[in-house]
């Protein structure tokens, strides 16, 4: 079976280019303690191919033959509770050799499948509590691969992080307490366009590599040729690269033997520490991952001492994804470390300071000086400015429209008979049965007088109650009409919008942007988790023209309806940033009547509306439609 698997996987050594990604994967194969690899890049750039090809060059490992957790028979510190008990009794553990595996973690995985659960079949037949291992057990001492890791549910990611951080998976299920080693190489891939990764997960990856398609026509031609050749005859294609694959495996094995003897000088350590401090990186994982990677690179090259070049390569892999202190902060440019030269360094520093000073002045002038003083139809472009924003609080939604939700908030909900979320309880089913709690169903059957082997009937069945994250959509409605240019209100409005995007990122909500300007509002960004795109669009929105407020609210209703057709459980929150003026009717009616009708529709469809009123002091309150929205739609209003 093993040779067949090899032939069907595109060979690692046949992949064209992607040298950084290849090096990162080989480094973690040599030393799994580096902490895993994250491959970031557009779709179709070969991320999944790289990971699956890695399986062919991974060496064999010794395992306890009759253990489902791939325990290390030579090291009691890497044994599950059962193997350790046998080892303590002096029992000779049976040893087998197996290839390291690449285990896929599907995005639809349940918590029970991930960490392990009760062996229901054995429990029903024998009445004994036994454990059914999960994916973390299968991945121990292998590779755990998560495609589209940025789309992984929070509760799954949290459990995964706990296991990855501790190196152990502890299972507490219905009276069973068991733990086993979970020491895997974590490899993730993601397309940044589909959303950012949580900082807690991002920092868990020791290395991060940007994977992009080559722009050299010759390289692209070679990729096409090799893929076509592989598809036509995969067996012959694999044989063509078989010797190269074996060399890579031998290189990894040799590097593992050398690794404990690899040393790094104090000068390079000091150089690394200074570089990390200068870049403003706060996590200590930066230095730890960099040193381990530099040693792995030296070992892969058959050397027992880390060179400056090894350190530079390691820094390129281990530091870039740690440069940002907070979401959407612009990362400082990373430069390779250089030996100290005080006079040159002082000169460069002064030059850099002078350049930054000039750049800052230009930026300040650009921010303060609009292209024109007019506020009519002539468009202007204002940059965002910092504004004090009231805290965005969670508000309970009424879950009556979504059958199966016991209660609902914009962060988490309680779901019944639906296989998503963390189990917290169980209840008798009503209607269709989808998420059976087998253990508690059997307990109920036994309490009703049945004995093993047990046959369940409808009176015994219990379904799970779970806590899950509610899907949310945040819609930003930005008034960018000519009146917002007065006193540069639009700069404050853009600052508010950008802060809202950062809050949406933290809560992992989808974001959409509607801009009200000219004769009708426009959906600038449809619902997405690509927060960078939303930020860029906010910054580039021009200001000028009339105020189609009715059109913006109508677009909000259409957008919410479309999203709820896809998933009726979606909770919609809208944030309107405006001075409250409106002068473009939508249906030919009076604007006041239109906005009143639209406000009623928002309330009826349970769209939570928050308004940031940018009117300055001295403006006649009667000119604003904000009070109507506050009264009719139940909007919360914050004065800015």
């Amino acid at each position: 079976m093993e040779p067949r698997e090899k032939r069907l996987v595109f060979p690692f050594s046949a992949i064209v280019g992607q040298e950084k990604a290849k090096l990162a994967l080989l480094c973690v194969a040599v030393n799994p303690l580096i902490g895993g690899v994250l491959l970031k890049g557009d779709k179709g750039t070969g991320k999944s191919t790289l990971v699956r090809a890695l399986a062919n060059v991974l060496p064999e490992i010794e395992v306890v033959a009759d253990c489902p957790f791939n325990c290390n028979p030579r090291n009691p510190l890497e044994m599950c509770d059962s193997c350790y008990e046998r080892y303590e009794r002096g029992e000779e553990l049976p040893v087998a050799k197996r290839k390291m595996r690449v285990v896929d973690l599907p995005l639809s995985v349940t918590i029970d499948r991930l960490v392990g659960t009760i062996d229901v079949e054995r429990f029903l037949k024998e009445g004994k509590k036994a454990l059914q291992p999960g994916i973390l057990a299968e991945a121990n001492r292998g590779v755990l691969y998560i495609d589209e890791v940025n789309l992984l549910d929070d509760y799954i990611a949290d459990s995964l992080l706990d296991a990855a951080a501790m190196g152990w998976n502890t299972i507490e299920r219905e009276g069973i307490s068991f733990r086993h080693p979970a020491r895997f190489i974590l490899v993730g891939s993601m397309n940044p366009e589909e959303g950012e990764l949580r900082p807690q997960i991002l920092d868990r990856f020791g290395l991060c590599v940007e994977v992009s398609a080559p722009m050299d026509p010759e390289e692209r031609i070679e990729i096409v040729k090799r893929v076509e050749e592989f598809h036509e005859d995969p067996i012959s294609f694999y044989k063509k690269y078989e010797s190269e694959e074996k060399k890579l495996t031998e290189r990894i094995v040799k590097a593992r033997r050398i690794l404990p003897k690899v040393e790094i000088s104090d000068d390079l350590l000091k150089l690394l520490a200074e570089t990390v401090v200068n870049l403003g990186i706060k996590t200590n994982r930066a230095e730890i991952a960099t040193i381990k990677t530099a040693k792995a690179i030296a070992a892969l090259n058959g050397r027992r001492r880390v060179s400056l070049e090894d350190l530079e390569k390691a820094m390129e892999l281990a530091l870039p994804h740690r440069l940002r202190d907070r979401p959407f902060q612009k990362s400082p440019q990373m430069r390779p470390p250089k030996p100290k030269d005080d006079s040159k360094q002082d000169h460069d520093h002064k030059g850099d300071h002078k350049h930054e000073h000039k750049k800052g002045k230009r930026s300040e002038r650009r921010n303060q000086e609009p292209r024109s003083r007019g506020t009519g139809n002539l468009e202007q472009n204002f940059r965002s400015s910092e504004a004090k924003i009231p805290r965005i609080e969670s508000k309970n939604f009424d879950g009556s429209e979504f059958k199966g939700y016991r209660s609902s908030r914009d962060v988490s909900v309680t779901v019944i008979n639906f296989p998503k979320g963390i189990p917290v309880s169980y209840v008798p089913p009503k209607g269709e049965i989808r998420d059976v709690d087998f253990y508690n169903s059997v307990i109920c059957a036994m309490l009703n007088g049945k004995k093993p082997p047990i046959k369940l009937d409808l009176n015994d069945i219990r379904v799970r109650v779970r806590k899950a994250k509610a899907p949310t959509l945040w819609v930003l409605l930005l008034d960018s009409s000519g009146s917002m240019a007065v006193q540069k209100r639009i700069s404050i409005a853009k600052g508010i919008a950008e802060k809202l995007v950062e809050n949406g990122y933290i809560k992992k909500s989808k974001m959409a942007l509607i801009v009200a300007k000219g004769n009708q509002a426009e959906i600038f960004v449809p619902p997405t988790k690509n927060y960078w795109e939303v930020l860029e669009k906010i910054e580039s929105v021009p200001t000028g023209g009339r105020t189609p407020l009715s059109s913006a609210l109508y677009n909000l209703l259409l957008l919410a309806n479309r999203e709820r057709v896809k998933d009726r459980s979606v909770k919609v929150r809208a944030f309107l940033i405006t001075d409250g003026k409106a002068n473009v009717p939508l249906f030919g009616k009076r604007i006041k009547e239109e906005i009143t009708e639209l406000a009623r529709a928002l309330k009826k469809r349970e769209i939570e509306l928050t308004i940031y009123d940018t009117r300055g002091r001295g403006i006649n309150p009667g000119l604003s439609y904000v009070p109507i929205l506050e009264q009719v739609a139940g909007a919360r209003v914050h004065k800015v």
Side-chain angles (χ1 to χ4, degrees), residues 518-591:
N519 292 322
Q520 63 181 17
E522 181 183 348
I523 299 175
F524 263 47
V525 182
T528 181
K529 283 193 175 180
N530 185 355
Y531 305 101
W532 278 108
E533 181 187 1
V534 183
L535 286 172
E536 288 169 1
K537 289 286 187 181
I538 289 170
E539 198 65 38
S540 66
V541 168
T543 305
R546 306 175 75 188
T547 312
L549 184 58
S550 300
S551 177
L553 297 173
Y554 184 66
N555 271 285
L556 168 61
L557 288 164
L558 293 178
L559 195 62
N561 287 342
R562 282 200 295 268
E563 286 301 298
R564 283 172 173 167
V565 167
K566 300 175 191 173
D567 184 348
R568 60 199 177 100
S569 68
V570 170
K571 307 301 176 183
V572 182
R573 302 187 71 187
F575 302 89
L576 174 60
I577 310 166
T578 181
D579 58 9
K581 296 183 178 181
N583 50 27
V584 182
L586 182 61
F587 301 113
K589 299 181 181 179
R590 292 177 57 194
I591 294 175

Side-chain angles (χ1 to χ4, degrees), residues 136-347:
L136 292 179
E138 296 173 26
N140 183 39
R141 302 181 69 208
V143 178
L144 182 61
Y145 174 50
I146 314 168
D147 194 11
E148 307 298 349
V149 62
N150 50 324
L151 304 181
L152 200 63
D153 281 332
D154 282 350
Y155 69 99
I156 295 292
D158 291 339
S159 299
L160 188 61
L161 288 180
D162 287 342
M166 303 299 295
W168 291 88
N169 177 38
T170 302
I171 304 165
E172 299 284 349
R173 286 286 187 278
E174 293 86 14
I176 288 184
S177 180
F178 189 87
R179 72 173 197 153
H180 66 81
R183 305 185 181 195
F184 46 80
I185 300 168
L186 184 61
V187 180
S189 61
M190 60 175 280
N191 181 353
E193 289 184 357
E194 294 176 344
E196 291 290 321
L197 196 61
R198 283 172 59 194
Q200 298 95 322
I201 301 179
L202 186 61
D203 192 47
R204 291 293 182 196
F205 288 100
L207 310 178
C208 181
V209 183
E210 297 280 348
V211 179
S212 58
M215 290 295 106
D216 181 0
E218 294 299 322
E219 279 192 37
R220 295 179 80 102
I221 291 168
E222 184 61 27
I223 291 170
V224 172
K225 285 181 178 178
R226 292 190 187 185
V227 171
E228 286 297 300
E229 187 180 347
F230 174 71
H231 287 161
E232 286 171 11
D233 189 352
I235 296 174
S236 298
F237 186 81
Y238 178 78
K239 285 182 177 177
K240 183 177 176 181
Y241 289 92
E242 192 170 14
S243 62
E244 291 296 320
E245 297 285 278
K246 287 180 179 177
K247 285 179 185 177
L248 272 175
T249 304
E250 291 168 4
R251 189 181 170 197
I252 293 170
V253 172
K254 183 182 176 183
R256 285 182 174 181
R257 284 199 302 264
I258 296 174
L259 186 64
K261 302 170 186 175
V262 176
E263 297 177 349
I264 184 168
S265 69
D266 289 343
D267 287 341
L268 288 182
L269 279 172
K270 187 177 180 182
L271 188 61
L272 170 63
E274 288 174 351
T275 304
V276 169
V277 169
N278 291 336
L279 288 170
I281 299 174
K282 294 180 179 178
T283 173
N284 290 121
R285 287 196 183 100
E287 291 98 329
I288 294 168
T290 305
I291 293 299
K292 290 184 184 299
T293 306
K295 286 184 175 182
I297 293 170
L300 282 165
N301 291 311
R303 289 183 278 101
R304 299 191 179 188
R305 195 159 188 83
V306 174
S307 68
L308 178 61
E309 185 182 355
D310 296 333
L311 185 62
E312 287 177 357
K313 286 180 180 178
M315 289 176 65
E316 288 176 8
L317 299 174
L319 298 186
H321 63 298
R322 296 186 166 98
L323 292 178
R324 284 185 293 161
D325 229 6
R326 56 188 177 85
F328 313 114
Q329 179 185 4
K330 294 295 182 184
S331 300
Q333 186 177 359
M334 214 190 89
R335 295 169 184 167
K338 298 288 181 186
K340 280 194 173 181
D341 182 340
D342 294 338
S343 59
K344 185 177 184 299
Q345 194 175 22
D346 289 345
H347 176 75

Side-chain angles (χ1 to χ4, degrees), residues 67-72 75-84 111-117 131-142 144 159-160 162-172 176-184:
C67 176
F69 304 108
N70 300 319
C71 289
N72 186 346
N75 187 352
L77 297 177
E78 294 182 18
M79 293 180 183
C80 67
D81 289 351
S82 177
C83 289
Y84 186 74
I111 194 72
D112 291 343
R113 178 71 185 99
L114 178 70
V115 302
T117 186
L131 183 70
Q132 185 176 5
I135 288 178
L136 292 179
E138 296 173 26
N140 183 39
R141 302 181 69 208
L144 182 61
S159 299
L160 188 61
D162 287 342
M166 303 299 295
W168 291 88
N169 177 38
T170 302
I171 304 165
E172 299 284 349
I176 288 184
S177 180
F178 189 87
R179 72 173 197 153
H180 66 81
R183 305 185 181 195
F184 46 80

